[in-house]
Amino acid sequence: MAEERIIHGVVASVGTAIGKAIRTFDALFVSLNFKLRPDQVRKEVERFRASVEKSREQLKRMQAELKRKSGPESSFLIDAHLLVLQDRLFVDRIIEKIESDYINAEWAIQQVSDDLFQAYDRLNDEYLRERRGDLDDIVRRLLHNLQSKALPSFKKLSYDSILVGKVVLPSTLFELRSQRLVGLATETGSPLSHTAIMARSLEIPAIMGAPELAEVASGDLLIVDGERGVVICSPSDETLAAYKGRDRDGKKGKRKASAAVSSPSITEDQVQISLAANINFSEEVLSAVAHGCESIGLYRTEFDFFREGKQPDEESLVADYSLVLKAAKGAPVTFRTIDVGIDQRTWDGMNPNLGVRGLRFCLENTDVFKKQLRSLYRASVSGPTRILLPFVSTLDDLDAARHILEEVRGELDLRRQPYDPNIPIGVMIETPAAAQTCDLMASLVDFFCLGTNDLIQYYLVIDRSDQSVVHLYNPFHPAILRCLHQVYTLLRPTGKPITVCGEMAADPPSAAVLLGLGFTSLSVSLTAYPRIKRMIQAVSIGQLRELAGQILKMQKPKEVEQKVRATVYRT
Ligand code: PEP
Ligand code: MG
């Protein structure tokens, strides 16, 4: 039996989970590694062969087209790919693996291609080493073609499972949410990533940034300890018994609405603070209402938008958004338009945080943007709706977005479709440019949301999903405090409301700093909601204002943090 082993990482979502590892192969294809029952093997080989055949047909078509367009010289590039598909060392070995190890095709492809990649890497000949790219290409094509023929049972987790991978996309977690998924453990990533945010929303205990997980295989028994920040592989009987006997409060389960939740968000010195909820998928609105949340301060719509793996049509979007608004029972819902790009980093090695993201993507893909806006306007007859634009960095982008909003309203007028013409339009302040120019944007919008997750990553130049720099990510950094103070000071004379909706608002000490700096509206995930409500009720704004004055003069993040903790936890 394997020895018990402890792997250290960082806590991305609290709680404890016990289950069998199930590896994701590639973030792009979201394929899981499964053991097969003997009676599934034949079908799996057929599935693999079908993918080989489909890949071959696609390549032949491409080759013919290349020949037609650019002559026979360039079509030889495709020959190399076709040869890989004929290579017995490749195709037959994958089939053998499926048959002898009872594993799904994706897993077999991974094992065989990993061996071949290593062999390529050892080659001295540069030309041959370059051919590695052909193999990589084919592997991706095969996986892609396999995906459309996934056995339905592969999406079914028949036992308590812990998803393990180098990277796991939030959409994968989302897709498996109603299954027996009890935990998450990833080699990379940080608590600020969207995957971590999604894990917290789903109340799935998660550990991230643990490279040693690379050695964990599907089927290994694991414990995810989201208190200590470790994953225990092959736990001994004693360890297992100890964890099983533990309080199960931290486990995935129903959220308990505590007494503090339904009570008002008023500080000790009688200052009213608005506390709204962040949600990441539509079903969460029901929990938010059950929690007695006053409003939805941030609904990240991108996860639901791409829920089916393809773009939804306008009618289904209208139906979805109307359902959300009806479920909110009159509480205003702030729909943030799709913030695409952020989670796709590993697909091509580029960092999308500095690329085509959020509003930039929407302005380049106006058909997608307009469809979402039309749907939001049409759904707005079902309840108070607010539209929030993410990742705004220039006034030009904002102008362009406003122009599109106007066009959309015009289209709906032409179609004679009813909508609320006065939907408030807001902007996320989450780039340094927006922080510096929010006063200039104020006359163009109705409200602001402060996205500290991104603002801190851009201000401190720390990739929020990179575990190697996550320890430097610090809301108490003087640069952040000054920036927040500046945003507050710039916006105050404009009278435009601002809600802080980043994770800084979800941790009592940093949330207290926000209150001290003058912010009176916060929006946090449902998991953080009770603790922030309790913090609000326990503090005095007068005291926090004084604290803010002092920390704004301090130099070191550590000193600031100590001072804040001492004040907040003393009250
Ligand atoms: C933020 O950046 O703080 C934010 C709330 O948005 P997201 O985490 O989705 O980037
Ligand atoms: Mg953001």
Side-chain angles (χ1 to χ4, degrees):
M1 233 179 87
E3 285 256 313
E4 175 172 309
R5 185 163 164 233
I6 294 186
I7 294 178
H8 292 265
V10 290
V11 178
S13 176
V14 294
T16 307
I18 303 174
K20 283 192 187 172
I22 186 132
R23 281 205 78 95
T24 63
F25 175 14
D26 184 318
L28 178 53
F29 297 107
V30 190
S31 56
L32 304 175
N33 291 350
F34 274 87
K35 277 277 184 189
L36 302 170
R37 289 193 314 266
D39 62 316
Q40 290 177 308
V41 168
R42 195 176 53 80
K43 228 174 164 184
E44 188 58 0
V45 172
E46 274 170 27
R47 193 169 78 95
F48 173 65
R49 284 194 199 281
S51 160
V52 173
E53 209 32 59
K54 190 166 175 189
S55 304
R56 204 190 317 271
E57 280 163 18
Q58 289 166 342
L59 288 166
K60 287 232 157 97
R61 266 202 309 276
M62 267 163 63
Q63 196 173 42
E65 198 166 326
L66 257 178
K67 248 185 208 151
R68 219 178 38 249
K69 285 189 178 150
S70 350
E73 312 79 54
S74 44
S75 70
F76 83 93
L77 290 170
I78 307 287
D79 284 339
H81 291 198
L82 282 165
L83 279 175
V84 178
L85 284 182
Q86 280 163 19
D87 190 344
R88 295 181 62 90
L89 265 177
F90 183 63
V91 174
D92 290 0
R93 269 178 62 195
I94 292 170
I95 294 174
E96 271 164 38
K97 278 256 171 233
I98 299 172
E99 289 175 341
S100 61
D101 297 355
Y102 298 108
I103 58 177
N104 64 315
E106 285 89 344
W107 195 355
I109 292 175
Q110 179 183 16
Q111 293 198 353
V112 172
S113 57
D114 278 355
D115 287 350
L116 290 174
F117 283 139
Q118 279 173 18
Y120 270 112
D121 291 343
R122 285 194 298 269
L123 290 174
N124 283 329
D125 184 319
E126 196 162 337
Y127 172 77
L128 284 176
R129 253 202 334 261
E130 295 273 305
R131 297 300 100 217
R132 191 189 196 284
D134 295 329
L135 179 62
D136 192 35
D137 221 314
I138 272 296
V139 164
R140 283 172 179 275
R141 183 176 295 281
L142 283 171
L143 286 170
H144 181 80
N145 288 331
L146 270 173
Q147 211 177 38
S148 54
K149 287 203 169 297
L151 281 182
S153 63
F154 283 0
K155 294 272 165 75
K156 291 239 160 64
L157 304 178
S158 48
Y159 42 78
D160 284 355
S161 304
I162 292 174
L163 206 54
V164 181
K166 192 174 172 91
V167 182
V168 170
L169 294 179
S171 51
T172 312
L173 274 191
F174 185 66
E175 205 184 326
L176 295 171
R177 73 195 179 286
S178 50
Q179 305 239 1
R180 292 179 64 179
L181 180 68
V182 295
L184 169 73
T186 60
E187 293 165 39
T188 63
S190 92
L192 270 310
S193 65
H194 267 172
T195 304
I197 290 173
M198 182 58 90
R200 292 196 286 274
S201 269
L202 295 168
E203 296 183 273
I204 293 174
I207 301 297
M208 293 187 153
E212 288 172 55
L213 287 168
E215 285 155 37
V216 170
S218 283
D220 289 356
L221 185 62
L222 301 181
I223 298 175
V224 170
D225 183 338
E227 315 302 328
R228 281 168 66 204
V230 296
V231 177
I232 306 172
C233 309
S234 312
S236 66
D237 290 347
E238 298 86 78
T239 308
L240 206 53
Y243 273 91
K244 279 188 177 159
R246 271 190 180 188
D247 179 355
R248 282 159 196 270
D249 269 4
K251 265 194 101 180
K252 184 181 176 191
K254 300 261 172 293
R255 288 189 175 97
K256 289 198 226 84
S258 69
V261 168
S262 46
S263 53
S265 318
I266 298 182
T267 61
E268 212 184 32
D269 52 351
Q270 302 304 306
V271 178
Q272 173 85 43
I273 304 297
S274 153
L275 185 60
N278 288 353
I279 63 167
N280 297 314
F281 50 94
S282 58
E283 291 92 326
E284 271 190 297
V285 79
L286 295 169
S287 315
V289 171
H291 266 68
C293 298
E294 300 152 28
S295 59
I296 305 298
L298 171 68
Y299 169 19
R300 295 180 170 94
T301 61
E302 54 271 17
F303 305 117
D304 278 328
F305 194 90
F306 296 105
R307 177 174 233 170
E308 307 292 340
K310 60 178 179 0
Q311 262 200 55
D313 60 35
E314 185 173 321
E315 295 312 314
S316 63
L317 279 176
V318 176
D320 289 350
Y321 296 153
S322 305
L323 270 180
V324 168
L325 287 161
K326 283 180 189 149
K329 299 203 171 126
V333 180
T334 306
F335 293 82
R336 187 179 72 185
T337 55
I338 48 172
D339 188 358
V340 238
I342 173 164
D343 302 303
Q344 281 108 36
R345 98 195 25 264
T346 45
W347 297 11
D348 53 10
M350 307 269 211
N351 183 346
N353 283 315
L354 301 176
V356 181
R357 210 200 123 166
L359 185 60
R360 270 186 206 160
F361 171 89
C362 286
L363 294 178
E364 281 189 16
N365 296 274
T366 46
D367 50 334
V368 182
F369 190 35
K370 282 173 110 176
K371 179 163 57 182
Q372 188 179 30
L373 293 176
R374 268 195 311 271
S375 309
L376 286 170
Y377 271 104
R378 285 179 57 191
S380 65
V381 291
S382 299
T385 308
R386 288 152 50 100
I387 293 179
L388 175 62
L389 306 170
F391 196 64
V392 176
S393 53
T394 73
L395 275 133
D396 288 340
D397 282 359
L398 184 53
D399 274 341
R402 277 165 32 98
H403 182 70
I404 290 173
L405 282 158
E406 218 172 277
E407 272 180 18
V408 163
R409 286 190 295 265
E411 281 167 29
L412 293 177
D413 288 338
L414 274 180
R415 290 199 211 160
R416 293 181 188 284
Q417 271 170 326
Y419 65 91
D420 172 2
N422 300 315
I423 291 183
I425 306 297
V427 152
M428 291 282 292
I429 302 178
E430 55 182 347
T431 63
Q436 294 286 331
T437 56
C438 51
D439 55 328
L440 306 179
M441 295 183 184
S443 62
L444 305 174
V445 294
D446 303 298
F447 69 97
F448 288 96
C449 284
L450 187 66
T452 53
N453 302 341
D454 279 312
L455 193 61
I456 297 174
Q457 89 160 337
Y458 294 124
Y459 248 78
L460 301 184
V461 203
I462 286 158
D463 184 336
R464 64 190 263 198
S465 303
D466 182 346
Q467 80 275 15
S468 62
V469 285
V470 74
H471 61 286
L472 301 170
Y473 190 99
N474 195 329
F476 302 110
H477 192 296
I480 301 304
L481 301 179
R482 287 177 181 207
C483 165
L484 297 175
H485 177 59
Q486 183 190 348
V487 168
Y488 179 78
T489 314
L490 285 175
L491 284 187
R492 198 181 150 88
T494 71
K496 290 288 154 88
I498 176 157
T499 298
V500 186
C501 62
E503 295 292 299
M504 187 171 173
D507 192 32
S510 51
V513 168
L514 292 165
L515 299 183
L517 287 168
F519 297 97
T520 52
S521 172
L522 310 178
S523 186
V524 301
S525 66
L526 292 174
T527 17
Y529 203 88
R531 63 172 183 260
I532 296 303
K533 177 78 76 109
R534 278 195 295 274
M535 182 277 287
I536 291 172
Q537 291 167 340
V539 294
S540 126
I541 290 294
Q543 200 182 11
L544 293 181
R545 285 260 160 82
E546 224 174 88
L547 171 73
Q550 289 163 359
I551 59 176
L552 275 169
K553 294 191 200 107
M554 290 179 142
Q555 297 177 358
K556 302 258 168 61
K558 201 91 231 118
E559 288 164 19
V560 173
E561 187 171 352
Q562 273 163 4
K563 175 103 194 138
V564 172
R565 285 187 178 280
T567 311
V568 172
Y569 291 120
R570 203 180 46 219
T571 51

